[in-house]
Structure formats: C-alpha cells, structure tokens
Amino acid sequence: MDGYITFAAATADQAQELTALVPRLRAHFERLAQAGNLRGRGPVLMGIGASYAAAAAAVWHLRKRGIEAARLDPGESPMPIVVGESPVFAISQSGRSTETLAALESVVPERRFGIVNVTPSPLSALATDTIDLGSIDDSYASTIGYTATVSALGMLAEAWDGGDIAADWDTLGARFAAAERDLAPAIAAAAALFENAPSADFVGSATSVGSAEAGALLFREVARIPSTAMSTRQYLHGAMESAGAGVHVLFGTARERKAARMLSAAGHPVILITDDGSDPLPLVTTIVIPTLSDTQRGVIEALVMQQLVREVAENRGIAIEEFVFENDDTKAPSQVGA
C-alpha cells in the first residue's frame, strides 16, 4: 500500500477484509507459538496515535489472564526504552512511524517484533519477526488498518503463553457486517447531536479506553472537532465538571450509564455505546452493540466511531480526505534503507 484510498472505499469492504484476515493471523500465531515466541513474560505493545489506542484491549485481556503486559507510547519515553526482558511488539500500520522505529531499534534484536500493515517497510525490516496484516488498502485517517490491528492484537493476547484463540473470530466479519447494517439508524440519530457541537468528550473503561482514544482522534482528524479521551474514572475525578455544550460519548455499562444519566439530567448531549439495552435512559441517545469478548469489542466500537464521524463530517460540510496540516517528521521514508 503505497498511498491511501478514500474513507468511504476503505470502510466499504471492511467486513470482507476482516473475514480474510482472521485465518492468516491464526496461522501466523500458530507459527509463532511453535517457535516459542508467545510464552513467558508478557509483551510490551508499543505504538503512537491510533496504534497506541489499538493496544489497550489486548493489554487489559493479558492482565486479566494474570500475564504481565503493558502498552508504551514511544514518544513519551527516553531512548533506549526500558522494557527489561519483555518482548516488544511495535505497532505501525504504515511501518514508518519514526518514534516507534527509534524505540524498536533500541531493543535487542531477539526481542523485536512488529505488527504492521505495509510490507516491506522500515518496521518489517527492523523487526526479527513481523505479523503482516496484508498491505490492506486503508484511508489516511485509518479505518480498516485500525480494526485489523485491534483484531491482530486481540488474537495475540488470547494466544499468549499457551492460550487458545477463540473460534468465533472466524465469524467476526459476518457479525461486523450485521452490526454495520443494524446500527445505521441509531448512528444517524447520534450524528445529529454534533450539528453545532464545539467539542466532544470520549470516555470508556476497561477494554473501551482504546475506543475512546481512537474515537477522539478520528473526530479531530476527520470532523475537526476538538476532542478529548479519558478513562471513566479519570473523567469522574474532576474532568466531568467542565461539561458544556459539547457532545459526551460514553462506552460501557453500569458506571457509564450512571454518568450518562447525570450528564443528560444536567442538559448535556450524551451518546451511550453499550451492549446493555434493557433500560433505555431518557434524553440519552443509546447505540446498543452486540455483546462481545474483551478482545473483539473494540472492533465493533471502532465501526460505530467510523460511521458516526463520517456522518458528522458530511453534516458539517467537511471533506474527509482533506487534512489541514502536513508534518514532515512523523514518517520515515517508505523505501527500506532510503
């Protein structure tokens, strides 16, 4: 993938791409396990931007299994990075993120791994072993590249240290397509709340922290709405006090429902993304997603964010493919060795 395709084109075939991706990933993790690369001390998952967000659910799942794991933003760490004896999985959909490359290069070669969409790339050349997503054509504001990365990391977290990759990954693409169809009316209703919104808060707990981070990034990139992401508990510890005319997007269940009720009662526009639709909340726009595992939930939450931001951008007359700023130091040259 040398360039980018449109946001609409990248999302149109997402379900089919995920269906094709799963058996490739399953085979790759089986090979890594046979080589002894998926056992022992848990991994450090390292990335920046959407790649960092994609790692949240996998780290949560590994820790839930009792396996030490962490995610690291290489832009916030001095070099060389300190990871002890942990293997490092560097995540970069383009394989060119400069901070991630510099950090991975500081790790001893036998503990360097990559999760990347584009091969060959500087990252695939640097890593001792690379989980290749298949050079799937992606949009500039990542869509299928992001959901593919969440899937790969989720399967990695399940496979680590003798774990089993769930059989229902094989039906993820079909369930993604069904959610895309079934959730469209609720997403359209939610998009209307952003008509004059000056800002947005994205809030989630546990595995949904990454979805909140990815959602805020998408709304900044695509809809140009100043957006902030926080974990639920961080939000409740003071940040919620500045709730204003912006939209509040909450991912979760009991705690997030309570926060949604408080916000809406105070007159603030609220969107709740949850798998619990048993008790509709007055004044809250609720999007009820299917009940999913820790490792798969973020894929469908990403689908909701992608559809929502596309409608918001269209409603506000913003051309999705046009970015305002272009930075020349965030990506390494695409040619390996250049």
Side-chain angles (χ1 to χ4, degrees):
M1 187 184 73
D2 295 325
Y4 296 95
I5 60 175
T6 66
F7 195 93
T11 54
D13 298 325
Q14 228 173 158
Q16 295 94 314
E17 292 287 3
L18 290 171
T19 297
L21 174 68
V22 167
R24 296 201 307 268
L25 289 175
R26 194 184 293 277
H28 199 116
F29 288 125
E30 288 174 356
R31 181 178 66 77
L32 284 175
Q34 290 169 1
N37 290 325
L38 297 182
R39 64 171 180 244
R41 189 182 182 97
V44 171
L45 306 180
M46 179 176 68
I48 198 162
S51 295
Y52 180 75
V59 169
W60 177 275
H61 185 77
L62 284 162
R63 290 174 175 171
K64 187 177 178 181
R65 292 181 58 203
I67 297 168
E68 183 178 358
R71 63 175 179 153
L72 173 69
D73 177 350
E76 296 180 352
S77 178
M79 300 296 151
I81 60 170
V82 179
V83 294
E85 299 298 313
S86 297
V88 176
F89 283 76
I91 310 158
S92 174
Q93 285 139 44
S94 67
R96 296 169 48 216
S97 296
T98 52
E99 300 89 345
T100 304
L101 289 168
L104 188 63
E105 193 168 19
S106 74
V107 177
V108 295
E110 60 268 25
R111 291 202 294 273
R112 294 179 190 168
F113 296 88
I115 296 180
V116 63
N117 185 29
V118 179
T119 55
S121 63
L123 179 54
S124 64
L126 188 60
T128 298
D129 202 324
T130 301
I131 298 166
D132 176 10
L133 302 182
S135 295
I136 304 168
D137 289 337
D138 196 13
S139 47
Y140 193 38
S142 184
T143 49
I144 178 57
Y146 178 78
T147 53
T149 301
V150 172
S151 299
L153 290 165
M155 294 175 77
L156 171 67
E158 291 180 359
W160 196 268
D161 211 19
D164 294 322
I165 296 174
D168 67 352
W169 281 102
D170 295 330
T171 63
L172 178 64
R175 286 179 286 132
F176 188 98
E180 190 172 27
R181 178 190 65 244
D182 296 343
L183 297 178
I187 290 171
L193 297 180
F194 285 90
E195 182 178 0
N196 297 307
S199 62
D201 288 342
F202 292 81
V203 180
S205 60
T207 61
S208 296
V209 170
S211 296
E213 293 168 352
L217 178 59
L218 265 182
F219 268 76
R220 281 182 171 273
E221 287 183 319
V222 173
R224 300 181 197 162
I225 297 174
S227 304
T228 302
M230 292 187 203
S231 68
T232 302
R233 287 296 175 181
Q234 289 282 12
Y235 194 61
L236 299 177
H237 276 264
M240 186 175 173
E241 293 302 312
S242 64
V247 178
H248 307 270
V249 183
L250 280 64
F251 300 83
T253 51
R255 198 65 195 83
E256 289 71 29
R257 288 174 64 87
K258 185 175 180 181
R261 186 180 292 110
M262 288 190 292
L263 286 164
S264 62
H268 304 297
V270 181
I271 298 168
L272 176 64
I273 300 166
T274 182
D275 61 1
D276 179 7
S278 59
D279 182 22
L281 296 173
L283 306 178
V284 174
T285 301
T286 303
I287 300 173
V288 182
I289 64 173
T291 299
L292 298 155
S293 65
D294 285 350
T295 49
Q296 294 179 15
R297 182 185 180 94
V299 177
I300 302 301
E301 289 174 338
L303 161 65
V304 174
M305 288 299 95
Q306 291 167 12
Q307 288 192 339
L308 183 60
V309 79
R310 180 174 59 198
E311 294 220 17
V312 170
E314 290 175 356
N315 292 347
R316 293 170 71 118
I318 296 171
I320 292 178
E321 321 306 333
E322 294 180 4
F323 276 54
V324 178
F325 301 106
E326 183 174 348
N327 297 296
D328 61 3
D329 62 348
T330 61
K331 302 293 182 185
S334 59
Q335 293 297 318
V336 177

